[in-house]
Amino acid sequence: MKVEASFYEKHKDKLHCFLCPHNCLIKNNEWGKCKVRIHEDGVLYTINYGEITSAALDPIEKKPLHYYKPGTYIFSVGSFGCNLTCSFCQNYTISQYKAKSTFITKDNLVNTAINMENNIGLAFTYNEPSIWYEYVYDTAKLLKESSPSYSVALISNGYISEEALKTLLPYLDAMNIDLKSYNNQYYKDICGGRVTPVLKTIELAAKSCHVEVTTLLVSGENDNLADIENIAKFISSIDANIPLHLNRYFPNYKFDKPTTDKELMFKGQEIAMKYLKRVKLGNI
Ligand code: SF4
């Protein structure tokens, strides 16, 4: 459903969107980089409000949030669109394309979550929830205000403006944030973004909710021990208790490099554990 977007302002004949660090300046009838926000005659609209492409009752560990209410299940939903363009994206059919979706009102989603057996709350995942912002904000707020014992989790690339993040954080219990690399060139070349805003997101989120961090180790790109050590050092500078997930990559989307070497993953885990208390290997 198309609704007016938040976090934008007029800038001469363009609109400046500041939902995420791309800070797009969008001409009339053109889209922002995320391809879900469009300028139409002086108004910025988002087209994915309430549009659900995937929904499942998942184990919380699958998010991955291994240390937030372990052994429970969470109703997980996603839409379409992303503000990064990772060449190895494991969910590219919904992140890089406008996938087939079903509209579900915020009340319907919250009621479904509350009436579902064995469910602890709502997780926004699968595609990038920060550019699904208006719906995520409305449903998270509704769930937390009507049923505070339910949890809200965000599985995100962390590419969101500080203002938007701070507005949403009061309604979040847990976040898993991707830190794709500590190297800005990697973010620029492979993902179409920058690392600094993601570091800031981790820092801010850790002050407000449970945070776990995930790094996908892509063969020949960021599967080097120096990068893993830098990531672990950075996280420990915030809190050595923040869990780090080092995930194995499988060829997908534009990347056909071989799967990540398991031996390297074990060495990476050993190095990261010099700085952090909890480092888990994923997809092995
Ligand atoms: S959310 Fe980000 S990518 Fe999308 S229009 Fe706004 S600034 Fe651009």
Side-chain angles (χ1 to χ4, degrees):
M1 183 175 146
K2 192 167 90 176
V3 299
E4 186 173 358
S6 44
F7 301 105
Y8 80 94
E9 62 195 358
K10 288 195 170 49
H11 184 84
K12 296 177 188 164
D13 59 338
K14 296 179 185 155
L15 296 179
H16 167 213
C17 175
F18 50 95
L19 173 59
C20 91
H22 283 311
N23 276 300
C24 296
L25 273 177
I26 312 170
K27 289 185 194 157
N28 196 20
N29 293 320
E30 291 195 0
W31 296 86
K33 278 192 180 176
C34 56
K35 295 196 184 73
V36 298
R37 289 161 97 83
I38 185 168
H39 174 179
E40 285 180 4
D41 301 324
V43 180
L44 189 69
Y45 292 98
T46 177
I47 61 159
N48 62 0
Y49 188 94
E51 298 294 338
I52 310 254
T53 59
S54 329
L57 183 64
D58 283 339
I60 194 90
E61 288 81 2
K62 197 178 164 190
K63 301 300 92 197
L65 285 167
H66 274 256
Y67 301 94
Y68 181 77
K69 303 192 176 178
T72 59
Y73 287 78
I74 190 158
F75 184 39
S76 305
V77 290
S79 187
F80 55 81
C82 190
N83 50 359
L84 294 182
T85 50
C86 306
S87 310
F88 50 76
C89 183
Q90 310 281 304
N91 274 343
Y92 70 95
T93 53
I94 56 170
S95 73
Q96 304 299 318
Y97 299 97
K98 187 180 176 301
K100 192 171 176 293
S101 58
T102 304
F103 177 72
I104 297 179
T105 64
K106 62 178 181 181
D107 299 276
N108 196 346
L109 187 75
V110 167
N111 285 335
T112 306
I114 291 170
N115 292 316
M116 194 173 279
E117 262 183 52
N118 290 326
N119 175 35
I120 64 158
L122 268 176
F124 298 95
T125 176
Y126 306 133
N127 75 314
E128 175 46 45
S130 64
I131 53 112
W132 201 21
Y133 190 91
E134 292 75 9
Y135 186 68
V136 170
Y137 177 83
D138 286 353
T139 46
K141 187 167 185 278
L142 185 61
L143 180 64
K144 293 306 288 182
E145 287 178 352
S146 62
S147 313
S149 61
Y150 280 82
S151 301
V152 177
L154 212 69
I155 291 46
S156 171
N157 62 22
Y159 214 60
I160 181 168
S161 71
E162 272 187 55
E163 187 181 342
L165 177 66
K166 283 180 180 167
T167 308
L168 184 60
L169 276 172
Y171 306 105
L172 299 184
D173 298 285
M175 281 182 85
N176 185 296
I177 303 167
D178 271 359
L179 178 53
K180 294 170 191 291
S181 169
Y182 199 70
N183 181 334
N184 196 49
Q185 202 60 40
Y186 178 89
Y187 262 90
K188 199 166 162 244
D189 295 346
I190 314 279
C191 304
R194 290 180 291 123
V195 69
T196 317
V198 182
L199 302 179
K200 191 72 199 170
T201 294
I202 296 171
E203 211 180 309
L204 283 174
K207 287 183 190 151
S208 170
C209 68
H210 174 88
V211 168
E212 301 191 20
V213 174
T214 297
T215 301
L216 185 74
L217 297 172
V218 182
S219 310
E221 297 295 344
N222 68 342
D223 61 339
N224 67 77
L225 300 176
D227 200 25
I228 296 171
E229 183 157 15
N230 283 333
I231 286 171
K233 264 192 216 169
F234 164 74
I235 297 171
S236 73
S237 73
I238 299 171
D239 184 348
N241 286 306
I242 295 177
L244 171 65
H245 299 265
L246 297 174
N247 277 1
R248 193 172 195 213
Y249 139 93
F250 289 89
N252 217 335
Y253 194 33
K254 297 177 183 169
F255 264 37
D256 58 2
K257 300 188 178 204
T259 50
T260 324
D261 177 45
K262 280 190 192 169
E263 277 309 307
L264 178 127
M265 294 183 70
F266 288 123
K267 278 189 202 138
Q269 183 183 36
E270 204 180 304
I271 287 174
M273 287 199 75
K274 288 199 289 182
Y275 304 91
L276 300 171
K277 296 191 178 133
R278 299 179 284 194
V279 181
K280 283 196 81 72
L281 301 183
N283 298 343
I284 56 165

